Amino acid sequence: MNGWLLHTGDLPPELRRGIDEIAKRNIPLELAHPKDVDLVLDTQSPDVFVRGERTPLPDFVVAAFIDEVDTYNLALLQNLEVLGSLCINTAQTILNTNDKLRTHQLLARAGIPCPKTVRIHPKMTADRLIRYLGLPLVLKAVHGSKGQGVFLVKTHEELDQMLQFAHAGQMKEEWIAQAYIAESHGRDIRVLVIDRRPMAAMLRASSTQFKSNFSQGGRVEAWPLTDEIQTLTQQVIDVLGLNIGGIDLLFSTDGFLVCEANSMPGFQGIESCCAINVPQEIFRGIARQLAAKKKTPIQVRSFLQEAESKGVLEHLATLSDLDGFAYFRSLCDSPRAMQLAVLRDILRRNAACEFGRAHQFQSIQDVASFRRQVPLTDWSTIEA
């Protein structure tokens, strides 16, 4: 299999670790910036173009939009998925997790417990926010990550000042406010998601601030993946479509609340306290998904066109075991097209023989013309 790391911004240590791990497995991995890839949708071919040069479609794409989740990047990722790449994660999943309000709306619709949330708008006042959420409350940037853009607001004066900054455009972000969960002050549970399932969990805790992120100096320790945590996080995975990611849970008097989810989690913290090689598990998951993945109609159409010119069996033989199996599964979904390709292959191979010349094999294009030009006969005719 061959893949792309579709990335923007500086590569964090975790991604560099992943590159090193995949190099040990001799799996080709190309680093590609989204703006170097042209979005070309061709229903006859799954090829892609990098800096204007035709390039084979990657088997898998890991989307690492560190600092640039814009419409083009997401459209390109969607295009690669349509053509047939396995996208880790999909454009829809990134949309679902990049916007914290959207995340909570989707989870709320599914009945998954989350903190009470209010979207800030230009006419929102401190009095109204306090009436909805009380004090203290938490202000969050809608698109923040790694604990950045998260503030604990304790007083009316502090909240009023922050809202004034936000409304004046001094805080260049969209914001939500959430209820403060006292039971989870300075601690939460991070659940690592790999291959669409919860894989490991850790407690993150800080004795100096209410944020517990490892990247912000919080300490970590392994936490058991209880039935409650597995059930809750699997619901989140299914709703958001997470392939790999992190899900953060808050402690509360009524059980866990889902704080947020992200599609590009850091894993230095969880590797430091859990017996897990995260890049290795990610690539194992990718291999499993590729083995089970069916080819898209565009890929099957392109395969059949090439198979007709090369010969079906010969073309299949050029593929790796993984590709060959995936194509075989996909071709079973379109038996008429495959049977026609085999028929044309047989006719092409035998067009020059005496029987082929007599029945004009070279002019037969479909089953109907085959039936007309090669009528039913008895064995004595063929034997002669």
Side-chain angles (χ1 to χ4, degrees), residues 63-327:
F65 301 147
I66 305 301
D67 60 359
E68 194 179 336
V69 184
D70 61 19
T71 54
Y72 183 84
N73 292 358
L74 292 176
L76 175 63
L77 190 61
Q78 179 70 38
N79 203 63
L80 292 169
E81 184 180 5
V82 168
L83 293 176
S85 292
L86 173 67
C87 292
I88 313 289
N89 288 290
T90 66
Q92 187 60 57
T93 297
I94 293 173
L95 276 173
N96 291 345
T97 57
N98 187 56
D99 183 324
K100 290 183 173 62
L101 179 61
R102 177 178 178 82
T103 298
H104 287 291
Q105 288 171 332
L106 292 172
L107 297 180
R109 183 172 66 183
I112 296 173
C114 305
K116 190 174 183 179
T117 302
V118 179
R119 176 67 157 81
I120 305 298
H121 60 76
K123 294 185 178 181
M124 181 63 69
T125 65
D127 287 337
R128 279 155 60 183
L129 266 182
I130 293 170
R131 175 152 48 95
Y132 298 142
L133 301 174
L135 285 174
L137 59 78
V138 179
L139 279 183
K140 286 184 178 181
V142 168
H143 303 292
S145 64
K146 296 186 180 296
Q148 299 174 352
V150 180
F151 304 95
L152 178 63
V153 182
K154 298 179 180 180
T155 68
H156 185 290
E157 292 75 20
E158 186 182 359
L159 177 59
D160 189 58
Q161 186 178 46
M162 295 192 74
L163 288 178
Q164 288 182 41
F165 273 109
H167 298 338
Q170 300 300 310
M171 299 167 67
K172 300 184 182 301
E173 249 292 1
E174 298 175 335
W175 295 85
I176 58 174
Q178 290 187 320
Y180 167 67
I181 310 300
E183 296 83 3
S184 206
H185 184 96
R187 64 185 188 129
D188 67 7
I189 300 294
R190 160 61 64 88
V191 178
L192 179 69
V193 175
I194 298 178
D195 197 8
R196 301 189 179 99
R197 61 190 179 91
M199 181 69 68
M202 66 178 174
L203 172 71
R204 304 187 301 182
S206 173
S207 58
T208 59
Q209 57 179 338
F210 90 101
K211 291 183 288 188
S212 58
N213 302 71
F214 181 73
S215 59
Q216 299 271 336
R219 64 175 178 84
V220 296
E221 62 182 71
W223 192 267
L225 269 177
T226 63
D227 290 344
E228 178 187 8
I229 290 176
Q230 289 192 61
T231 299
L232 177 59
T233 53
Q234 189 63 59
Q235 290 176 322
V236 177
I237 291 166
D238 295 342
V239 168
L240 301 180
L242 271 181
N243 197 313
I244 63 172
I247 299 172
D248 298 339
L249 305 179
L250 301 176
F251 296 92
S252 80
T253 54
D254 297 321
F256 290 110
L257 301 176
V258 178
C259 177
E260 61 183 65
N262 61 76
S263 58
M264 184 48 62
F267 54 78
Q268 285 181 309
I270 207 157
E271 282 193 332
S272 72
C273 64
C274 298
I276 183 173
N277 183 322
V278 174
Q280 185 179 88
E281 293 299 330
I282 288 174
F283 290 119
R284 282 177 178 171
I286 289 174
R288 188 202 63 78
Q289 292 177 60
L290 283 175
K293 183 180 180 295
K294 293 182 179 181
K295 297 298 183 181
T296 65
I298 294 174
Q299 288 177 298
V300 172
R301 188 181 302 116
S302 176
F303 174 87
L304 290 174
Q305 289 171 349
E306 195 165 357
E308 284 193 30
S309 64
K310 293 182 177 179
V312 176
L313 295 180
E314 286 84 350
H315 191 37
L316 273 173
T318 64
L319 302 175
S320 68
D321 291 343
L322 190 63
D323 278 340
F325 178 70
Y327 269 114

Side-chain angles (χ1 to χ4, degrees), residues 360-380:
Q360 298 180 319
F361 278 8
Q362 77 280 359
S363 66
I364 298 175
Q365 294 299 316
D366 52 35
V367 175
S369 58
F370 177 81
R371 287 170 175 166
R372 288 194 302 271
Q373 292 175 218
V374 188
L376 291 174
T377 186
D378 55 33
W379 173 247
S380 60

